Amino acid sequence: MLYRHGDVLISKIPALPIGVQKRTGATLAHGEVTGHSHRIQQTQAVQLWVNGSELFLEVKAVSATLIHEEHRAIELPQGLYRVWKQREYRPDAYVEVED
């Protein structure tokens, strides 16, 4: 299952990879330009995990609401997810899209 929320892509995964570490908060991506962020409304319902530059989301409650000031809220059911921030190609490198 895939979810798109602006410049954030979320994919359901069967398990967390070995070596992940807990990360505090419930923000999946910060808006560098607007100051808006893609974040989970119910902060106690989720746990973020990182493995190097990879971000993972664990929804521990029955569901959690992903919100952003410029996008419609979406519900994520309980489970494990990989989170990607959209990147764009430039001749010298791939760079994350700034919101």
Side-chain angles (χ1 to χ4, degrees), residues 9-59:
L9 178 67
I10 302 165
S11 175
K12 193 154 177 99
I13 59 174
L16 292 170
I18 296 171
V20 294
Q21 298 178 348
K22 283 187 177 183
R23 187 178 109 183
T24 59
T27 300
L28 305 183
H30 292 282
E32 298 83 3
V33 176
T34 64
H36 300 159
S37 61
H38 298 271
R39 62 199 178 280
I40 301 296
Q41 191 169 29
Q42 306 87 347
T43 58
Q44 302 303 317
V46 298
Q47 175 64 57
L48 294 181
W49 300 90
V50 293
N51 188 14
S53 63
E54 298 177 326
L55 178 63
F56 299 91
L57 169 68
E58 178 181 5
V59 176

Side-chain angles (χ1 to χ4, degrees), residues 12 58-64 76-81:
K12 193 154 177 99
E58 178 181 5
V59 176
K60 300 183 291 184
V62 173
S63 68
L76 298 172
Q78 185 176 41
L80 299 169
Y81 299 89

Side-chain angles (χ1 to χ4, degrees), residues 61-79:
V62 173
S63 68
T65 309
L66 179 58
I67 58 174
H68 183 280
E69 289 81 357
E70 297 173 342
H71 306 294
R72 187 176 59 122
I74 60 173
E75 292 293 317
L76 298 172
Q78 185 176 41

